[in-house]
Amino acid sequence: MPAFSTGTPQHEAPEPLEGPVVATITGGTIIWFVLFLVQLPFYGWFEDHGHLWWVWTCLAGGGLGLIGIWYVRGRDAALKRHAAQQAADAHQAAGAHQAGDGHQAGDAPQATDSERSARDEGR
């Protein structure tokens, strides 16, 4: 029996969770740097016991966290720009729709060409 099914999925995939991504990544980065700083006084002990990689793992986590902060801040800004553009487009389309009706709000609607020709034929 194959480990992966090639058929259609049984259910829809859930929507991705959105939350305070920038704050989460920033908090994690701070934790990595704090762990690095806490381990520095014990550098000799880590070296003697073959666990020196723990210190450097924390520093690498902090460095990668800085890259992560840069990335999620850019992503967040792009999402906000996209949402603002969508709202502006929707507002502009609504304004164009009202202007395209040929009347201002509160005016009586204008007759369409087909209504005018039907009216003219009836004379």
Side-chain angles (χ1 to χ4, degrees):
M1 181 168 181
F4 296 102
S5 173
T6 58
T8 59
Q10 299 294 328
H11 53 83
E12 293 291 322
E15 290 294 319
L17 295 175
E18 289 293 331
V21 179
V22 176
T24 302
I25 300 300
T26 302
T29 302
I30 290 170
I31 289 171
W32 279 114
F33 277 125
V34 166
L35 287 172
F36 171 71
L37 293 174
V38 166
Q39 290 178 356
L40 274 181
F42 305 102
Y43 187 88
W45 184 89
F46 285 114
E47 188 174 27
D48 292 343
H49 291 87
H51 298 301
L52 196 55
W53 63 272
W54 289 10
V55 177
W56 302 121
T57 299
C58 293
L59 183 61
L64 290 172
L66 290 176
I67 295 170
I69 291 170
W70 170 77
Y71 178 80
V72 296
R73 287 186 67 195
R75 177 185 178 270
D76 195 43
L79 289 173
K80 287 179 182 177
R81 276 193 312 271
H82 179 71
Q85 183 64 40
Q86 293 287 81
D89 290 347
H91 181 69
Q92 186 177 17
H97 179 68
Q98 284 182 347
D101 286 346
H103 65 278
Q104 297 292 333
D107 289 349
Q110 300 290 322
T112 63
D113 289 338
S114 60
E115 291 172 340
R116 283 191 208 115
S117 58
R119 184 180 61 212
D120 291 342
E121 289 176 8
R123 286 194 204 177

